[in-house]
Amino acid sequence: MAGDNISARFVVPTVATSVDLVVHLGLGHDGVRRVNEIVSVPGRVEADVIEVEPIFVRSGGELRRTGGVPARVERFERVGIDIHALLATDLVGDR
């Protein structure tokens, strides 16, 4: 949209530092959308690939916590979200 003056060298790191979490949905064989994965985006880029850290992944039909923690926890704290307390609760199942 901006033309040739904006390259991937600028756009990729900008996106990496602008996004905190990515929620990947999938459509099951039964036509129901389910969360397949939730990843944190720490903001690091290697060879034009944005690094991610899994927080939840679907395994055996269940969404399971991986132990990862979102990057930039202070952004959540600023709006009153205690990310560590939230991740310590049992919020997921077959959803």
Side-chain angles (χ1 to χ4, degrees), residues 2 10-12 15 22-23 27 29 42 48 53 55-57 59 65 73 82 85 88-89 94:
F10 169 77
V11 173
V12 172
V15 170
V22 174
V23 179
L27 186 61
H29 66 280
D48 290 334
E53 179 180 6
I55 299 173
F56 292 95
V57 294
S59 175
R65 175 107 163 77
V73 173
D82 182 348
T89 61
D94 187 23

Side-chain angles (χ1 to χ4, degrees), residues 22 37 39-44 49-55:
V22 174
E37 178 179 50
V39 297
S40 170
V41 184
R44 291 183 293 275
V49 175
I50 298 173
E51 181 181 306
V52 297
E53 179 180 6
I55 299 173

Side-chain angles (χ1 to χ4, degrees), residues 35-39 54-60 62-66:
V35 175
N36 284 337
E37 178 179 50
I38 300 174
V39 297
I55 299 173
F56 292 95
V57 294
R58 184 161 298 280
S59 175
E62 290 186 8
L63 196 59
R64 299 182 188 267
R65 175 107 163 77
T66 65

Side-chain angles (χ1 to χ4, degrees), residues 70-88:
R72 300 179 292 273
V73 173
E74 67 281 357
R75 290 184 182 182
F76 295 92
E77 291 171 346
R78 243 181 289 158
V79 294
I81 299 171
D82 182 348
I83 206 73
H84 297 290
L86 182 65
L87 292 174

